[in-house]
Amino acid sequence: SELTQDPAVSVALGRTVRITCQGDSLRRYYASWHQQKPGQAPVLVIYGQNNRPSGIPDRFSGSTSGNTASLTITGAQAEDEADYYCVSRDSSGNHVVFGGGTKLTVL
Amino acid sequence: QVQLQQWGAGLLKPSETLSLTCAVYGGSFSEYYWNWIRQPPGKGLEWIGEINHSGSTNYNPSLKSRVTMSVDTSKKQFSLKLTSVTAADTAVYYCARVSYSSDWVYYYMDVWGKGTTVTVSS
């Protein structure tokens, strides 16, 4: 995959966690972030520079620096436990690539 | 509120052709790209390809030889065909709407279908 994510991250309830996504294409294209809970379709949580769709809590935020996009959850809640995927165009711009996903555990 | 409803055969034999359709309810059809994405059991998401209202497509290079996408703008539907399936094609298949900027800098799937489970088994 051209986008690299840590396979698993854990966070204590109420603390802040950052999930990262690395790839050369992120120097040109914004990543978007999707949350997926077991047995459900993914849900968009962050897109663009730092935009949240309607209905997504403001504890979710995004940022990009160089070749790394980050999803930050400030004050993680039990319901945030899920898999998180980043996605963007690939380096050529002709295709789309997903990161491998990060499993977030809220302790 | 935009909804995507998808359907297609859920059980296939090796060498058969997978065929799925996704219908768009609500919203514009021409202002977006439309994607197919799949997820093998216990694994991550894999992009299959994209199509717009005029039929312009891009496919995942690893699947390109077997994939065809099409649109029916009169019905606001788009479809996926994947030929010569094997057990490795067993997955949940999702359709998704994509919002984007003309330079692709912004590109995100903002509406997803519920998914269709496709199993390939002899």
Side-chain angles (χ1 to χ4, degrees):
Chain A
S1 175
E2 293 188 31
L3 297 180
T4 301
Q5 297 183 240
D6 291 328
V9 171
S10 62
V11 61
L13 185 66
R15 303 303 294 264
T16 296
V17 63
R18 177 178 294 178
I19 299 170
T20 61
C21 173
Q22 287 190 303
D24 285 343
S25 65
L26 300 181
R27 297 184 184 277
R28 179 175 180 181
Y29 304 109
Y30 282 117
S32 60
W33 290 92
H34 299 263
Q35 176 193 70
Q36 186 180 35
K37 296 181 180 179
Q40 298 182 19
V43 173
L44 178 69
V45 294
I46 290 289
Y47 65 96
Q49 194 166 10
N50 180 18
N51 302 104
R52 283 177 290 105
S54 174
I56 301 301
D58 61 5
R59 63 179 178 271
F60 289 88
S61 63
S63 63
T64 302
S65 177
N67 73 337
T68 301
S70 299
L71 172 69
T72 300
I73 307 174
T74 303
Q77 302 298 303
E79 60 264 33
D80 299 335
E81 187 163 287
D83 294 326
Y84 290 86
Y85 294 91
C86 60
V87 58
S88 83
R89 305 299 291 189
D90 70 359
S91 298
S92 73
N94 294 325
H95 308 107
V96 174
V97 62
F98 282 90
T102 297
K103 182 175 182 62
L104 176 67
T105 300
V106 179
L107 304 172
Chain B
Q1 182 169 345
V2 178
Q3 290 187 333
L4 304 182
Q5 182 175 345
Q6 54 182 109
W7 65 89
L11 180 61
L12 297 171
K13 291 180 168 48
S15 80
E16 292 185 333
T17 296
L18 179 157
S19 182
L20 298 175
T21 298
C22 185
V24 180
Y25 294 99
S28 169
F29 190 75
S30 62
E31 295 178 8
Y32 301 92
Y33 260 82
W34 305 94
N35 274 209
W36 289 98
I37 295 139
R38 70 181 184 179
Q39 186 170 37
K43 296 187 178 180
L45 299 169
E46 179 183 30
W47 181 71
I48 300 172
E50 63 187 2
I51 190 167
N52 69 3
H53 69 285
S54 63
S56 177
T57 56
N58 286 303
Y59 300 140
N60 185 322
S62 68
L63 298 170
K64 185 176 181 178
S65 63
R66 298 192 291 130
V67 170
T68 302
M69 293 183 185
S70 59
V71 292
D72 184 336
T73 55
S74 66
K75 295 182 179 179
K76 295 177 71 174
Q77 293 177 1
F78 59 106
S79 298
L80 167 70
K81 289 191 186 301
L82 180 67
T83 62
S84 304
V85 299
T86 70
D89 296 310
T90 293
V92 177
Y93 286 74
Y94 295 101
C95 57
R97 187 183 82 169
V98 170
S99 293
Y100 66 101
S101 60
S102 59
D103 56 3
W104 296 129
V105 170
Y106 292 83
Y107 186 97
Y108 51 96
M109 298 107 183
D110 57 359
V111 182
W112 291 71
K114 294 185 184 301
T116 299
T117 298
V118 176
T119 302
V120 180
S121 175
S122 56

